[in-house]
Amino acid sequence: MFFIFHYFCIYYLPKSAFMSTYHVPVMLKECLEGLNINPEGIYVDVTFGGGGHSRAILERLTTGKLYAFDQDADAKAQSKLIESKNFTFIDANFRNIKQYLRLFGAKKVDGILADLGISSYQIDTPERGFSTRFNADLDMRMNQNGAVTAKNIINEYSVDRLHKILGMYGEIHNARTSAQAIYTARLNKSIDTINDLKGVLQKHTPRGKENKYFAQVFQALRIEVNEEMLALEEFLQQTPEVLNPGGRLVVMAYHSLEDRLVKNFIRSGKFSGDVEKDLFGNDLKPLESITRKAIEASDEEVQQNPRARSAKLRIAERSESVENK
Ligand SMILES: C[S@@+](CC[C@H](N)C(=O)[O-])C[C@H]1O[C@@H](n2cnc3c(N)ncnc32)[C@H](O)[C@@H]1O
């Protein structure tokens, strides 16, 4: 529930409250410390966005290299502003990290940063359809060439599937009623825009909790459109293979569903269940947590950048002793 507050902030506070630039990087100092940068090392920022974290990493490299991923064409355009021979932008989904790094000749790296979710720029660009503050087509694709939009989901999913995503990804209490309302409304007319959707759900919106409810609906749709949970799982599973022993994994999540995956994977090398043991009873897990608990932004940072409020930062190190599975 705490994480939902994040969506309140980003959807309902004015744009000027957050940024005068593409995106203000969250917990920059903590992320850099977490990466434990070797100036000659090889690093990956899998969520380039406006490049705030990437630029700071590059400043700390001498002969080292930085590879940055983003699936958004606007982020790719931002990457062109960086002129450094140490920098390579990879226009791809981070769920394919291993394959792309290999393609670019970087089999093993010393640190990986993931600052999950969407950028302030994406939220604040009305036509991307991420924000309930604007009226626009129901889109919500991070990758503008993606095959599925929020409009497809709203107009084509069965009641059961809508119920499942609203409940699972939005943690909405009246998920079935909301799903049924969408299904009934679209029998008359397709639901194309944000205002169409709000109109359909108006009757079912808990009184006094309208903002929270719509933030939850939007969170659910965005996760489904971009297959965010699946992409995160696939990415995390590849990180032990990509990292050199002693290499760092630094991940910042903005809602509890993502943070839970990250936490479990770091704890056990799996998304559920206990840590496996070898014959001698030693833990068989590829990563060691560096921090006891998730790191959160300071009050001062949250005041300056409300987006930082719900961020949970976790840092892990690739174990020296466990071979890649
Ligand atoms: C929170 S922003 C990153 C902001 C960045 N750290 C900065 O300082 O500007 C997240 C970015 O990651 C991208 N992204 C999210 N999931 C992705 C994925 N699975 N593959 C590639 N890019 C992704 C989004 O398009 C967005 O630009």
Side-chain angles (χ1 to χ4, degrees), residues 50-76:
H53 289 96
S54 277
R55 280 190 182 79
I57 296 168
L58 278 168
E59 276 170 19
R60 282 155 183 79
L61 300 180
T62 51
T63 55
K65 295 261 175 281
L66 174 68
Y67 296 88
F69 286 69
D70 206 299
Q71 57 180 329
D72 182 334
D74 294 334
K76 181 181 179 181

Side-chain angles (χ1 to χ4, degrees), residues 88-258:
T88 304
F89 183 81
I90 303 175
D91 173 5
N93 194 306
F94 61 56
R95 72 199 299 175
N96 301 314
I97 182 173
K98 197 172 111 187
Q99 177 197 338
Y100 276 96
L101 286 179
R102 204 163 268 178
L103 192 70
F104 282 84
K107 272 199 192 155
K108 294 276 181 188
V109 306
D110 300 300
I112 302 174
L113 169 70
D115 176 14
L116 301 172
I118 44 178
S119 65
S120 305
Y121 178 85
Q122 287 168 320
I123 295 163
D124 291 330
T125 304
E127 59 273 23
R128 300 297 296 271
F130 285 114
S131 170
T132 59
R133 278 184 293 143
F134 310 113
N135 187 26
D137 272 356
L138 285 164
D139 189 320
M140 302 194 195
R141 287 170 301 170
M142 289 189 203
N143 172 354
Q144 294 94 330
N145 296 318
V148 177
T149 65
K151 198 192 312 194
N152 296 131
I153 291 169
I154 289 290
N155 289 290
E156 293 163 25
Y157 272 26
S158 66
V159 176
D160 283 347
R161 258 179 112 185
L162 284 171
H163 173 202
K164 194 170 147 205
I165 65 160
L166 292 174
M168 250 170 50
Y169 298 152
E171 301 176 288
I172 290 166
H173 293 310
N174 64 356
R176 172 148 293 274
T177 316
S178 300
Q180 188 62 52
I182 291 168
Y183 176 77
T184 309
R186 78 187 193 207
L187 292 175
N188 290 329
K189 184 180 166 297
S190 89
I191 303 165
D192 296 336
T193 65
I194 291 172
N195 280 357
D196 287 351
L197 180 62
K198 283 165 118 178
V200 166
L201 295 177
Q202 202 65 46
K203 229 171 55 203
H204 308 282
T205 309
R207 216 170 279 255
K209 296 189 177 162
E210 292 81 1
N211 292 354
K212 180 176 163 192
Y213 171 77
F214 283 119
Q216 289 172 295
V217 170
F218 270 54
Q219 172 175 302
L221 288 172
R222 201 198 85 194
I223 291 175
E224 180 69 8
V225 167
N226 299 289
E227 296 189 326
E228 289 179 43
M229 304 309 288
L230 209 57
L232 178 59
E233 279 191 22
E234 290 175 15
F235 158 72
L236 288 171
Q237 275 164 336
Q238 294 167 66
T239 56
E241 287 182 65
V242 170
L243 283 169
N244 279 319
R248 291 285 179 90
L249 174 67
V250 176
V251 185
M252 214 152 30
Y254 294 85
H255 58 76
S256 52
L257 301 170
E258 278 176 347

Side-chain angles (χ1 to χ4, degrees), residues 30-41:
E30 293 83 349
C31 288
L32 294 171
E33 279 172 13
L35 284 170
N36 193 23
I37 295 176
N38 162 10
E40 296 166 11

